[in-house]
Amino acid sequence: MASYFDSTTLILVFCLIVGLATGNFVQDFDITWGDGRGKILNNGDLLTLSLDQSLGSGFQSKNMYLFGKIDMQLKLVPGNSAGTVTAYYLRSQGDAWDEIDFEFLGNLTGDPYTLHTNVYTQGKGDREQQFHLWFDPTADFHTYSILWNPQGIVFSVDGTPIREFKNLEAIGVPFPKNQPMRLESSLWNADDWATRGGLIKTDWSNAPFTASYRNFNANACVFTNGKSSCGSIGMGWLTQELDSASQGKLRWVQNNFMIYNYCNDSKRFPQGFPKECSAN
Ligand SMILES: *[C@@H]1O[C@H](CO)[C@@H](O)[C@H](O)[C@H]1NC(C)=O
Ligand SMILES: *[C@@H]1O[C@H](CO)[C@@H](O)[C@H](O)[C@H]1NC(C)=O
């Protein structure tokens, strides 16, 4: 009997069972815009987006997800990337969309990237938190993850949580839980606001700018024909919450690397902070 199953088959079966099939960009994504500036390379192991003075580029997942733990490795535009923005996010459709955002704002050579995060629920965002990173995100690939389950949303960098948005529906804060989202990413020019508030413009003599992606992994519930299917094995992420060690790491990031927090911007909210600010 055993001779029917060579080791490749066994590995394949194993991957299907535990839902670990590491992504292949050809299989999992479509390049959605950019006129050839987005490329899938190395048999689907690598994806690159580029931006020049006439256009940027972008891609999106073929699947829609309703909850998941999604990891991707990114290597950002090196050198003088001022004015460029690499966005990587989950987003649903329509006017009352939900969105979970990572945006990387480029900078002059040697100055730090800003990692900008936001959470939109039913079309309303205004929940920005920004960070500097504890490493150079252009030197190597690093893993940026979104854990999205019914208890909350956790943004992580190389496994270290940097932000948590809890499900606080109990106190009247909308939480994304009904609208399936696609994973999308794009590289574009935003030199009217991105770097030092728009003071520093994109230097096109450095174009084309390129960001790279690899090792996509989605442990997620895939939404098809109006239904979400999660399988039943390897689903620990669906109930995962931050344990006390992870909460300690989150505090370390927030104390040392957070450069902006909407929940700390009293000028912006003279009538009082949004409800989630006192609870998160
Ligand atoms: C760029 O570098 C400056 C100077 O260190 C820093 O204040 C800023 O937060 C950095 N990021 C952006 C996007 O401007
Ligand atoms: C919070 O507000 C204080 C006072 O305005 C400011 O000094 C500090 O940098 C802010 N922290 C963040 C993370 O925005």
Side-chain angles (χ1 to χ4, degrees), residues 4 20 28 62 95 131 137 191 198 210 257:
Y4 288 132
L20 281 179
D28 296 327
K62 293 188 179 169
D95 291 338
F131 306 84
D191 67 359
T210 302
F257 299 97

Side-chain angles (χ1 to χ4, degrees), residues 105-108 111-114 132 194-197 259:
L105 317 184
N107 218 333
L108 294 170
D111 279 348
Y113 260 76
T114 293
H132 283 158
T195 306
R196 295 211 200 171
I259 55 166

Side-chain angles (χ1 to χ4, degrees), residues 1-275:
M1 287 296 289
S3 64
Y4 288 132
F5 301 99
D6 61 25
S7 58
T8 314
T9 315
L10 283 177
I11 289 166
L12 182 65
V13 167
F14 176 77
C15 288
L16 291 173
I17 290 172
V18 298
L20 281 179
T22 291
N24 173 293
F25 285 110
V26 176
Q27 223 169 274
D28 296 327
F29 290 94
D30 292 312
I31 304 278
T32 41
W33 61 284
D35 239 343
R37 289 171 182 77
K39 293 193 177 80
I40 296 176
L41 304 163
N42 302 355
N43 296 319
D45 285 344
L46 180 71
L47 187 153
T48 59
L49 292 183
S50 78
L51 161 72
D52 58 40
Q53 198 155 7
S54 42
L55 198 60
S57 48
F59 65 90
Q60 71 177 25
S61 62
K62 293 188 179 169
N63 284 330
M64 291 193 289
Y65 306 105
L66 189 58
F67 301 124
K69 180 175 185 304
I70 294 188
D71 308 312
M72 180 87 87
Q73 292 195 321
L74 275 75
K75 188 174 170 185
L76 300 172
V77 174
N80 180 357
S81 59
T84 71
V85 172
T86 306
Y88 162 64
Y89 54 98
L90 284 164
R91 192 188 205 274
S92 69
Q93 312 276 295
D95 291 338
W97 78 97
D98 299 324
E99 183 174 322
I100 304 169
D101 255 335
F102 278 108
E103 289 189 14
F104 301 89
L105 317 184
N107 218 333
L108 294 170
T109 307
D111 279 348
Y113 260 76
T114 293
L115 170 49
H116 172 100
T117 63
N118 206 349
V119 176
Y120 284 73
T121 52
Q122 300 173 8
K124 192 184 163 301
D126 298 329
R127 300 192 176 102
E128 298 86 355
Q129 288 187 356
Q130 296 184 332
F131 306 84
H132 283 158
L133 293 162
W134 51 95
F135 53 84
D136 173 2
T138 72
D140 261 309
F141 283 92
H142 290 270
T143 305
Y144 302 91
S145 309
I146 296 169
L147 170 65
W148 170 36
N149 67 23
Q151 292 74 245
I153 295 164
V154 177
F155 297 74
S156 302
V157 176
D158 290 334
T160 298
I162 62 163
R163 174 172 188 177
E164 184 179 27
F165 182 80
K166 288 186 186 144
N167 182 341
L168 295 170
E169 283 183 305
I171 60 163
V173 181
F175 185 78
K177 60 159 195 207
N178 297 317
Q179 308 190 81
M181 306 204 230
R182 280 202 156 81
L183 185 67
E184 302 184 24
S185 187
S186 54
L187 172 58
W188 84 91
N189 178 41
D191 67 359
D192 52 335
W193 62 272
T195 306
R196 295 211 200 171
L199 283 177
I200 302 181
K201 301 299 171 191
T202 303
D203 180 353
W204 294 110
S205 69
N206 297 308
F209 301 99
T210 302
S212 307
Y213 301 75
R214 71 178 192 196
N215 288 348
F216 165 70
N217 190 63
N219 261 303
C221 306
V222 173
F223 191 84
T224 30
N225 302 324
K227 271 195 290 196
S228 187
S229 88
C230 310
S232 55
I233 301 173
M235 296 291 295
W237 60 266
L238 195 53
T239 52
Q240 192 181 329
E241 293 183 66
L242 294 181
D243 59 18
S244 62
S246 301
Q247 279 168 8
K249 289 186 191 167
L250 177 68
R251 273 194 302 277
W252 172 74
V253 174
Q254 300 208 330
N255 293 335
N256 294 288
F257 299 97
M258 191 189 259
I259 55 166
Y260 177 79
N261 183 1
Y262 73 112
C263 284
N264 187 31
D265 190 346
S266 47
K267 272 194 243 127
R268 190 169 162 195
F269 300 105
Q271 328 286 8
F273 288 113
K275 278 185 215 158

